[in-house]
């Protein structure tokens, strides 16, 4: 392989001016194609990460919902540690559906009661606050809450305003009837939870407030879990579900938005294939450049064959040229793509309508796995595109090329 | 193989080329037996088929019909890749034009057959340097073909042909492109190397002075021995 690489590098170095320009232009086509791929994949991955982070910031990597009346968080922690070393922390929660009432306007909401002491280990609500503070302490006998920005927008609630929440509490006497419980709250902070349905439904308060409203003294309905590697959590769902038994309903961040994540993954594959066509088209130029190189080196191929080079040797020689061009072009293309992606990320250059896409600017996430796949596929395409011209060279009879001299 | 077995034997070699619909029979059933250490010169006018016959003997081309044996083993039954490997080990070629690889130095050109055979870089370099030094080209190791004179280029080509220690050296008009002084030097070198390395030498030439130095001269006319 060393000899073949040496020969090809010498040939590339000693190319005529015309052939050098041809090589440069065909490589440029691949470079641009690869950078387009990198940029596109970074945006799609960015959307995936953005939504994933929205989910995990509010509800952790995994949600356990207890089907019984009461569970012990310490025992649950011990059990989870036994199931997987990936488990890091949990925070219990209690929640209820309800209605917000403000100036004759009503809105269906979900009241999340979180345990303040442990929530910081699992959730990242504080970083989501866009107005006000993350302060859930009682002030002037009123409980503070955090609400999603869409609730604030729809009901025109501002920091420091008060509003009422109505919770339907099951009647003790009649099974099918509810008695409404009304509680007044003060708005301490407005959060952008990153997802439209979270922003228009979620109200966050302390666990004690929700427990008192529902009459569940010291009881929780479930727990939010944190793991070492969020990406691996969907694979752990079955394992944890089996270990904890039927008492718990287990759902990973992916299960909570299964349709969305499945759709994005499919779209990612389709977009990859479509944009890959740029690289495929560019690879035809690589093929023709190698073909011209083979034609110009007819004499040398004949000499090498006279000296004992086999067909395989000649094929490998020119395929190596294709692979070399593929490696260099995809490396430069990836560099260019990453550079463009970083510029877009830091300058927030491209704005998109937030009410439609749920984000205001193009999210960018550069993943090494994406870059690796792009690199390998590009090198593979260049490899395939060099086979035909390489075979033409290999099929040359030793005496054929010597006649051209 | 014993000394009675020819190192190379050609039987009824025919070669036909097609020019459009016209059939052109260049070689018409040539036979030849060459023994180890022999030196023969094939002569003939232009178009007589000398080079074509030499290329067939050197397995660079296949005959339309006929058989070719090396030490009693049929060469034409071998695949093209097997023949390439065979040439690498057993045959050396020198052409009228040196046919050196222009992107490589004299040393690298001579190393090439050994490197193709898969020998270690250091061994290739050592063997090639030794041979080029023997051919008085020690000062030209790092020079590229365009920096060498015609005589030097042809000596590098001879070194490249001999570096794998072949049994047979084929030469097609090796002095045809050289002036008389350099031509004479190359002729002397051929016979010196033949004696020193016990080579079998098959040369095509229409230089009668050169041909006279061979113990065996074969004349070819219209694809047949005269």
């Amino acid at each position: 392989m060393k000899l073949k690489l040496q020969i090809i590098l010498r040939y590339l170095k000693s190319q005529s001016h015309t052939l050098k320009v041809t090589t440069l232009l065909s490589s440029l086509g691949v470079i641009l194609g690869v950078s387009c791929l990198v940029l596109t994949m970074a945006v799609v991955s960015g959307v995936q990460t953005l939504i994933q982070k929205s989910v995990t910031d509010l509800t952790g990597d995994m949600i356990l919902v207890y089907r019984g009346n009461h569970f012990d968080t310490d025992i649950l922690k011990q059990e989870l540690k036994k199931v997987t070393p990936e488990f890091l922390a949990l925070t219990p929660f209690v929640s209820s559906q309800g209605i917000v009432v403000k100036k004759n306007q009503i809105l269906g909401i979900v009241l999340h009661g979180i345990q303040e002491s442990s929530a910081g280990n699992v959730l990242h609500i504080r970083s989501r606050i866009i107005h006000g503070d993350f302060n859930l302490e009682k002030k002037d006998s009123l409980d503070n809450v955090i609400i999603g920005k869409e609730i604030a927008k729809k009901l025109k609630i501002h920091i420091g305003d008060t509003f009422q929440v109505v919770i339907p509490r099951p009647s003790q006497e009649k099974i099918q009837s509810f008695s409404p419980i009304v509680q007044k709250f003060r708005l301490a902070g407005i959060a952008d939870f990153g997802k439209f349905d979270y922003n228009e439904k979620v109200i966050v308060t302390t666990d004690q407030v929700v427990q008192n409203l529902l009459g569940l003294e010291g009881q929780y309905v479930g727990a939010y879990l944190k793991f070492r590697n969020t990406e691996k959590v969907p694979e752990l769902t079955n394992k944890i579900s089996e270990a904890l038994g039927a008492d718990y309903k287990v759902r990973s961040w992916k299960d909570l938005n299964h349709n969305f994540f499945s759709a994005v993954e499919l779209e990612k594959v389709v977009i990859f294939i479509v944009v890959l066509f740029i690289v495929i088209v560019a690879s035809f130029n690589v093929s023709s450049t190698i073909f011209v190189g083979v034609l110009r080196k007819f004499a040398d191929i004949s000499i090498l064959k006279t000296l004992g080079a086999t067909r395989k040797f000649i094929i490998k020689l020119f395929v190596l040229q294709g692979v070399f061009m593929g490696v260099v072009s995809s490396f430069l293309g990836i560099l260019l793509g990453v550079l463009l992606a970083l510029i877009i990320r830091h300058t927030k250059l491209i704005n998109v309508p937030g009410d439609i896409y749920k984000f205001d600017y193009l999210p960018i996430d550069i993943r090494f796995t994406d870059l690796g796949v792009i690199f390998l596929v590009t090198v593979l395409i260049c490899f395939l595109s060099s086979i035909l011209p390489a075979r033409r060279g290999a099929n040359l009879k030793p005496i054929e090329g010597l006649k051209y001299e | 193989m014993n000394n009675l077995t020819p190192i190379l034997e050609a039987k009824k070699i025919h070669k036909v080329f097609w020019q459009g619909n016209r059939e052109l029979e260049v070689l018409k059933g040539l036979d030849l037996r060459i023994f180890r250490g022999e030196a023969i010169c094939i002569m003939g006018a232009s178009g007589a088929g000398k080079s074509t016959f030499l290329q067939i003997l050197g397995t660079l081309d296949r005959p339309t019909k006929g058989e070719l044996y090396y030490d009693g083993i049929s060469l034409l039954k071998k695949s093209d890749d097997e023949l390439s490997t065979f040439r690498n080990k057993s045959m050396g070629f020198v052409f009228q034009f040196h046919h050196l690889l222009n992107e490589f130095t004299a040393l690298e050109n001579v190393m090439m057959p050994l490197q193709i055979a898969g020998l270690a870089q250091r061994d290739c370099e050592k063997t090639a340097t030794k041979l080029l030094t023997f051919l008085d080209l020690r000062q030209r190791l790092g020079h590229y073909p365009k920096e060498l004179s015609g005589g030097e280029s042809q000596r590098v080509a001879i070194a490249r042909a001999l570096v794998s220690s072949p049994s047979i050296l084929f030469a097609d008009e090796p002095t045809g492109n050289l002036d008389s002084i350099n031509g004479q030097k190359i002729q002397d070198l051929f016979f010196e190397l033949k004696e020193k390395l016990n080579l079998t030498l098959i040369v095509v030439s229409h230089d009668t002075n050169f041909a006279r130095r061979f113990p065996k001269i074969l004349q070819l006319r219209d694809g047949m021995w005269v």
Side-chain angles (χ1 to χ4, degrees):
Chain A
M1 192 56 79
K2 198 180 160 191
L3 174 65
K4 294 172 195 99
L5 193 64
Q6 186 192 9
I7 294 174
I8 275 309
L9 288 178
R10 291 284 174 92
Y11 284 174
L12 286 172
K13 201 177 151 191
S14 68
Q15 276 176 342
S16 65
H17 179 69
T18 317
L19 203 56
K20 267 183 185 156
V21 172
T22 313
T23 307
L24 197 72
L25 287 176
S26 54
S27 300
L28 203 62
V30 179
I31 291 170
L32 289 176
V34 169
S35 59
C36 282
L37 259 181
V38 170
L39 208 55
T40 316
M41 289 300 104
V43 172
V44 179
S45 298
V47 174
Q48 275 180 320
T49 307
L50 197 77
I51 302 299
Q52 179 192 323
K53 203 166 173 330
S54 303
V55 176
T56 55
D57 279 358
L58 186 67
T59 60
D61 295 338
M62 189 180 272
I63 300 180
L64 298 187
V65 177
Y66 188 60
R67 290 193 170 107
N69 288 328
H70 178 67
F71 68 93
D72 188 309
T73 52
D74 290 331
I75 294 172
L76 182 61
K77 266 188 210 171
Q78 294 304 323
E79 282 185 49
L80 286 167
K81 274 180 188 167
K82 272 187 227 165
V83 176
T84 171
E86 286 282 314
F87 171 72
L88 279 180
L90 67 78
T91 183
F93 73 91
V94 56
S95 66
S96 173
Q97 297 203 347
I99 299 164
V100 178
V101 183
K102 174 78 178 172
K103 290 178 189 167
N104 299 328
Q105 278 190 293
I106 59 166
L107 198 69
I109 54 99
V110 179
L111 197 60
H112 280 257
I114 58 166
Q115 190 183 53
E116 277 189 279
S117 58
S118 62
N121 300 329
V122 179
L123 313 176
H124 298 279
I125 298 171
R126 191 181 293 274
S127 63
R128 293 272 172 190
I129 302 290
I130 51 172
H131 297 295
D133 302 307
F134 184 75
N135 178 13
L136 300 178
E137 280 175 21
K138 193 181 272 247
K139 194 182 172 190
D140 303 333
S141 74
L142 279 179
D143 290 307
N144 276 340
V145 289
I146 309 294
I147 66 170
K149 68 175 184 181
E150 289 302 321
I151 303 174
K153 195 174 156 188
K154 280 183 183 169
L155 300 181
K156 296 184 179 68
I157 310 173
H158 304 286
I159 302 297
D161 286 358
T162 58
F163 59 92
Q164 287 182 323
V165 173
V166 182
I167 304 276
R169 187 172 169 178
S171 169
Q172 299 286 340
E173 292 85 32
K174 294 178 187 172
I175 295 169
Q176 287 184 327
S177 61
F178 291 85
S179 53
I181 300 162
V182 182
Q183 175 136 351
K184 208 171 185 182
F185 291 103
R186 175 190 283 113
L187 181 62
I190 298 171
D192 179 0
F193 293 115
K195 275 186 79 206
F196 189 78
D197 46 345
Y198 285 178
N199 283 335
E200 73 164 355
K201 279 206 162 51
V202 172
I203 296 181
V204 179
T205 183
T206 64
D207 47 355
Q208 286 161 347
V209 171
V210 184
Q211 282 167 349
N212 289 340
L213 280 170
L214 297 175
L216 303 168
E217 206 61 43
Q219 289 181 35
Y220 293 98
V221 295
Y224 300 129
L225 274 53
K226 176 84 180 162
F227 291 83
R228 267 177 229 286
N229 186 345
T230 305
E231 292 297 324
K232 283 186 184 171
V233 172
E235 298 160 23
L236 294 170
T237 312
N238 282 344
K239 197 178 173 188
I240 291 171
S241 187
E242 278 169 23
L244 298 179
D247 288 344
Y248 290 93
K249 187 180 179 186
V250 182
R251 298 174 83 192
S252 73
W253 58 266
K254 207 171 191 176
D255 298 328
L256 290 175
N257 291 273
H258 187 260
N259 289 346
F260 173 80
F261 286 114
S262 299
V264 171
E265 270 171 26
L266 181 67
E267 278 171 24
K268 196 174 178 179
V269 173
V270 173
I271 291 170
F272 182 86
I273 292 168
V274 170
V275 182
L276 189 68
F277 269 91
I278 299 175
V279 179
I280 293 171
V281 170
S283 76
F284 280 95
N285 284 335
V286 172
S287 187
S288 64
T289 300
I290 297 171
F291 201 86
V292 173
V294 168
L295 292 180
R296 294 213 170 183
K297 288 295 171 193
F298 259 17
D300 281 19
I301 294 168
S302 292
I303 294 163
L304 288 169
K305 281 194 149 188
T306 303
L307 299 179
T310 57
R311 256 186 109 252
K312 214 191 228 172
F313 183 97
I314 305 295
I315 287 178
K316 279 185 183 171
L317 192 68
F318 289 101
V319 162
L320 200 64
Q321 184 183 351
V323 171
F324 181 77
M325 284 176 75
V327 168
V328 174
S329 303
S330 51
F331 179 73
L332 292 176
I334 285 171
L335 272 186
L336 181 66
V338 168
L339 189 73
L340 289 173
L342 289 175
I343 290 171
I344 291 171
R345 183 158 75 185
H346 288 291
T347 56
K348 294 182 178 168
L349 205 63
I350 301 171
N351 293 315
V352 289
D355 50 340
I356 298 171
Y357 294 104
K358 303 176 181 59
F359 40 84
D360 300 323
Y361 51 87
L362 275 189
I364 299 284
D365 184 18
I366 301 159
R367 295 183 183 173
F368 282 110
T369 44
D370 290 346
L371 300 184
V373 170
I374 291 168
F375 181 83
L376 289 177
V377 170
T378 307
V379 173
L380 180 71
I381 288 170
C382 289
F383 163 77
L384 294 174
S385 68
S386 63
I387 289 177
L388 211 64
R391 280 173 64 94
R392 174 67 189 95
N395 289 338
L396 191 76
K397 284 180 186 169
I399 54 154
E400 249 179 283
L402 298 177
K403 287 178 189 166
Y404 285 86
E405 276 282 280
Chain B
M1 285 292 147
N2 57 45
N3 286 338
L4 296 174
T5 309
I7 187 167
L8 201 63
E9 184 176 14
K11 284 185 181 173
K12 301 204 183 313
I13 298 291
H14 288 261
K15 183 70 181 178
V16 174
F17 290 112
W18 288 90
Q19 287 182 330
N21 291 329
R22 200 160 66 92
E23 185 185 291
L24 192 68
E25 193 171 14
V26 177
L27 303 177
K28 298 167 182 170
L30 294 181
D31 291 319
L32 183 67
R33 284 157 70 90
I34 304 156
F35 291 89
R36 198 173 289 275
E38 255 193 310
I40 67 160
C41 182
I42 301 170
M43 295 194 75
S46 288
K50 313 183 292 289
S51 294
T52 305
F53 188 52
L54 189 87
Q55 285 156 1
I56 288 171
L57 291 178
T59 70
L60 297 175
D61 197 5
R62 287 179 186 267
T64 310
K65 219 161 66 181
E67 288 169 63
L68 185 66
Y69 297 94
Y70 177 86
D71 267 348
I73 298 162
S74 173
L75 290 177
L76 299 177
K77 283 180 184 162
K78 290 181 187 283
S79 68
D80 286 351
D81 277 358
E82 283 170 336
L83 285 181
S84 289
T85 311
F86 169 75
R87 274 197 302 275
N88 179 265
K89 290 182 172 36
S90 310
M91 291 175 167
F93 297 88
V94 179
F95 301 96
Q96 180 176 359
F97 302 100
H98 55 75
H99 285 315
L100 295 176
L101 300 167
N102 290 323
E103 287 82 7
F104 293 83
T105 63
L107 179 65
E108 288 166 340
N109 263 287
V110 178
M111 284 165 66
M112 196 61 76
L114 300 176
Q115 285 184 292
I116 289 172
L119 267 68
Q121 173 88 5
R122 207 160 53 177
D123 295 339
C124 299
E125 204 171 320
K126 205 173 149 186
T127 312
T129 306
K130 200 173 155 188
L131 194 55
L132 283 166
T133 306
F134 174 73
L135 294 174
D136 207 17
L137 289 163
R138 175 86 199 172
Q139 305 302 318
R140 295 282 185 261
L141 296 182
H143 287 232
Y144 287 89
K146 63 180 178 192
E147 298 164 342
L148 300 171
S149 68
E152 285 171 336
S153 296
Q154 200 62 309
R155 272 187 286 156
V156 174
I158 292 170
R160 187 178 65 181
L162 296 176
V163 76
S164 299
S165 308
S167 325
I168 310 173
L169 179 64
F170 295 91
D172 190 357
E173 306 277 10
T175 57
N177 202 36
L178 299 175
D179 57 64
S180 57
I181 298 168
N182 275 309
Q184 189 63 44
K185 280 183 186 170
I186 294 293
Q187 288 175 20
D188 294 342
L189 185 62
F190 268 105
F191 287 102
E192 187 188 339
L193 290 167
K194 186 210 161 303
E195 292 308 318
K196 206 173 177 83
L197 306 171
N198 190 31
L199 279 171
T200 305
L201 194 59
I202 304 171
V203 174
V204 160
S205 179
H206 49 234
D207 179 347
T208 44
N209 290 330
F210 186 23
R212 265 190 221 116
R213 300 178 68 174
F214 284 81
K216 191 172 176 181
I217 303 168
L218 299 169
Q219 286 282 350
L220 202 58
R221 188 185 297 154
D222 294 331
M224 288 186 290
W225 297 126
V226 178

